[in-house]
Amino acid sequence: MKNGLYIVATPIGNLSDISPRAVETLKAADVIACEDSRVTKKLFSLLGISLQKTFIVLHDHNENEQAQKIIDLIQSGKSVAQVSDAGSPLISDPGYKLIKSCREAGVYITTLPGCCALISALQLSGLPTNRFMFVGFIPNKDKGRADLFKKYQKLDSTLIFYETAPRIVKTLTAAAEIFGTREMAVAREISKVYEECLSGTAEELLAHFNTNEPKGEMVFMVAPAEEETLPEIDVETLLKEKLAAASLKTAVKELVETYGLNKNEVYELALKVKNGQK
């Protein structure tokens, strides 16, 4: 096996979802970089992979330090497989600093694609998939949650968040206030026995979780914002009013900024209006 870094996706639920290539890579790797060695060793036992390997714990607080250790191992001829507790490494998990450092050091890097909760949830949701934004985990505090939702409130993309069962009711309550009646979806326990994906307004989803205890890992999704339609405006009349009290440059600037108009077109019309007034 070539010395280098192998980014390996692991199952998010069903053990059979791991690829044969991923299993062979994990068997052959000299070193395993993981978030929690206990979780990874349990997975290896279930897959029949030997635990006689070097396990390096890699998390947000030690990534810079561990990155150099991993690079040194690779440059000494070792192969390193990077995994997260579940799913694709680096997606709301540590790892990007390691990848950046490896690239700068010129070591070999490859990825073994596989399970990713946000993609699986989006596929189940029935929400638009042509454009989406993964926002990550939702803040625990009310203000942080509200501020995050407001930041992306008008984005013309399906929004995808990771959330925990104990906080989903608070999240849906905030979503009802900020996103209104937009369609939403909550996917949970993806690829497991009790997998389900619920869709509806925030109020409808709240009604469900108020009578059914939220359980499992969750992905929360919100449909894109609808395109705002500006009211029809009489630009010429507005220009006449503006020019009566302001310079041509100011009048044009104010109309362009207020109504999102084409600056050149408004300027040309303003010149005609001004010349007509003389």
Side-chain angles (χ1 to χ4, degrees), residues 112 186 251:
L112 284 67
V186 175

mmCIF file of all heavy atoms in Angstrom, residues 112 186 251:
data_model
loop_
_atom_site.group_PDB
_atom_site.id
_atom_site.type_symbol
_atom_site.label_atom_id
_atom_site.label_comp_id
_atom_site.label_asym_id
_atom_site.label_seq_id
_atom_site.Cartn_x
_atom_site.Cartn_y
_atom_site.Cartn_z
ATOM 1 N N LEU A 112 -11.660 7.991 -0.223
ATOM 2 C CA LEU A 112 -12.511 6.847 -0.545
ATOM 3 C C LEU A 112 -13.952 7.256 -0.243
ATOM 4 O O LEU A 112 -14.362 7.272 0.921
ATOM 5 C CB LEU A 112 -12.112 5.622 0.274
ATOM 6 C CG LEU A 112 -10.844 4.876 -0.173
ATOM 7 C CD1 LEU A 112 -9.594 5.718 0.042
ATOM 8 C CD2 LEU A 112 -10.725 3.551 0.542
ATOM 9 N N VAL A 186 -37.188 16.916 8.404
ATOM 10 C CA VAL A 186 -36.293 16.383 9.430
ATOM 11 C C VAL A 186 -36.056 14.908 9.112
ATOM 12 O O VAL A 186 -37.007 14.120 9.092
ATOM 13 C CB VAL A 186 -36.885 16.524 10.850
ATOM 14 C CG1 VAL A 186 -35.965 15.842 11.869
ATOM 15 C CG2 VAL A 186 -37.075 17.992 11.213
ATOM 16 N N ALA A 251 -29.770 61.508 -6.966
ATOM 17 C CA ALA A 251 -31.073 60.945 -7.327
ATOM 18 C C ALA A 251 -30.914 59.553 -7.932
ATOM 19 O O ALA A 251 -31.635 58.616 -7.585
ATOM 20 C CB ALA A 251 -31.792 61.870 -8.302
#
